[in-house]
Amino acid sequence: MGWLAFSLAWLQRSPSSTGQRSADSSGALALLAESPVGKVLLWAIAVSMAGLCVWQAVEVLRHHRRLPPPGEDRRRALVQTVKTVGTALFYGWLAWSAARTALGHGSSRANQQRTVSGVIGWPAGRLLVLAVAAVVAVIGIYMVQKGVRARFVDEVPHDRMSPAVRTLVVRASQVGFALKGVALVLVGVVVAWAALTSHPEKGDGLDGTLRVIAAEPFGQWLLTAIAVGLAAFAVYCLARARHPVG
């Protein structure tokens, strides 16, 4: 994803290339499919994402089958349950997308735009899209403050890395959380604007957002910052995978 944002900023500026490469997850999967070992990697991603989906679903059943008595503990449990279910659905969607792309049925950007346009056309579709945009923006703000305040440090092991490596991971993770949060806030703003102005070509998620940014005078540098943030967030993900806590 970081590479695609960087590519959109610096390598796809000509009119002939603009619009040929989707910048969202489906575009990343399509780009992967073009590599010599693309299908093998896509099936590996599909299986891995399906495993993560099952893991999150099991977490719900294991920890949240019974809610605590009314109070602060119940509120936290409900919030955690919603987050876990949302994560499970997201991983499931990624697994499905990877499998479809491996089979040669990846979704095109035109299909995404028609979907957004169709939702906006529902009786309460505009409000639904605005609500989704607001949720995405709130998640982005949460990630920004989590990165700035380093509220993820308990997720990074203290005793399995050298002090220098751990400091590097923490700093990279701060940058990753903050800039990924900024990207999500921008997605929320652009999707909301697309709903208000009935421009579905700008509201198809991260893809449309990155293209809107790329068209601005400052777009190249903002896309570069987002690319750096996504790459930095990958450092956090790899550190957690290599050195799991708990």
Side-chain angles (χ1 to χ4, degrees), residues 21 24 101 110 116 136 151 158 161 183 198 217 228:
R21 171 71 62 202
D24 64 357
T101 305
V116 175
V136 171
R151 290 189 170 177
H158 294 265
M161 300 179 183
S198 298
V228 170

Side-chain angles (χ1 to χ4, degrees), residues 72-148:
E72 184 65 21
D73 288 342
R74 172 172 285 193
R75 186 188 69 81
R76 284 198 297 264
L78 286 172
V79 170
Q80 186 60 43
T81 299
V82 171
K83 287 170 57 179
T84 305
V85 171
T87 303
L89 292 174
F90 177 68
Y91 286 144
W93 174 74
L94 286 178
W96 178 77
S97 298
R100 278 180 57 84
T101 305
L103 293 171
H105 304 301
S107 61
S108 67
R109 186 164 187 251
N111 289 336
Q112 296 169 3
Q113 293 174 5
R114 284 195 292 270
T115 300
V116 175
S117 179
V119 173
I120 292 177
W122 293 354
R126 199 180 302 272
L127 291 177
L128 178 60
V129 173
L130 287 173
V132 171
V135 170
V136 171
V138 168
I139 294 173
I141 293 171
Y142 167 77
M143 294 193 71
V144 170
Q145 65 87 26
K146 185 174 181 178
V148 171

Side-chain angles (χ1 to χ4, degrees), residues 11-238:
L11 305 179
Q12 300 183 34
R13 301 290 293 178
S14 65
S16 61
S17 63
T18 301
Q20 296 302 311
R21 171 71 62 202
S22 176
D24 64 357
S25 59
S26 60
L29 295 175
L31 181 63
L32 187 61
E34 296 172 4
S35 67
V37 292
K39 285 196 174 182
V40 174
L41 293 175
L42 284 170
W43 282 115
I45 290 173
V47 172
S48 301
M49 293 300 104
L52 288 170
C53 176
V54 172
W55 165 52
Q56 290 295 288
V58 170
E59 287 293 293
V60 174
L61 296 176
R62 188 161 68 103
H63 294 297
H64 307 297
R65 284 181 297 178
R66 295 180 181 178
L67 292 175
E72 184 65 21
D73 288 342
R74 172 172 285 193
R75 186 188 69 81
R76 284 198 297 264
L78 286 172
V79 170
Q80 186 60 43
T81 299
V82 171
K83 287 170 57 179
T84 305
V85 171
T87 303
L89 292 174
F90 177 68
Y91 286 144
W93 174 74
L94 286 178
W96 178 77
S97 298
R100 278 180 57 84
T101 305
L103 293 171
H105 304 301
S107 61
S108 67
R109 186 164 187 251
N111 289 336
Q112 296 169 3
Q113 293 174 5
R114 284 195 292 270
T115 300
V116 175
S117 179
V119 173
I120 292 177
W122 293 354
R126 199 180 302 272
L127 291 177
L128 178 60
V129 173
L130 287 173
V132 171
V135 170
V136 171
V138 168
I139 294 173
I141 293 171
Y142 167 77
M143 294 193 71
V144 170
Q145 65 87 26
K146 185 174 181 178
V148 171
R149 299 182 180 181
R151 290 189 170 177
F152 55 85
V153 291
D154 57 337
E155 301 167 6
V156 179
H158 294 265
D159 56 345
R160 301 181 187 179
M161 300 179 183
S162 67
V165 171
R166 187 173 185 277
T167 299
L168 178 63
V169 168
V170 169
R171 295 294 176 258
S173 299
Q174 283 187 284
V175 173
F177 270 103
L179 293 181
K180 184 179 179 182
V182 169
L184 290 178
V185 171
L186 291 173
V187 170
V189 171
V190 173
V191 169
W193 181 252
L196 292 172
T197 59
S198 298
H199 286 100
E201 73 278 4
K202 296 181 179 180
D204 52 337
L206 187 57
D207 185 9
T209 301
L210 293 182
R211 294 183 182 281
V212 169
I213 295 171
E216 298 298 327
F218 55 85
Q220 283 181 296
W221 297 107
L222 185 52
L223 283 177
T224 301
I226 291 173
V228 170
L230 292 172
F233 189 78
V235 174
Y236 162 80
C237 295
L238 289 169

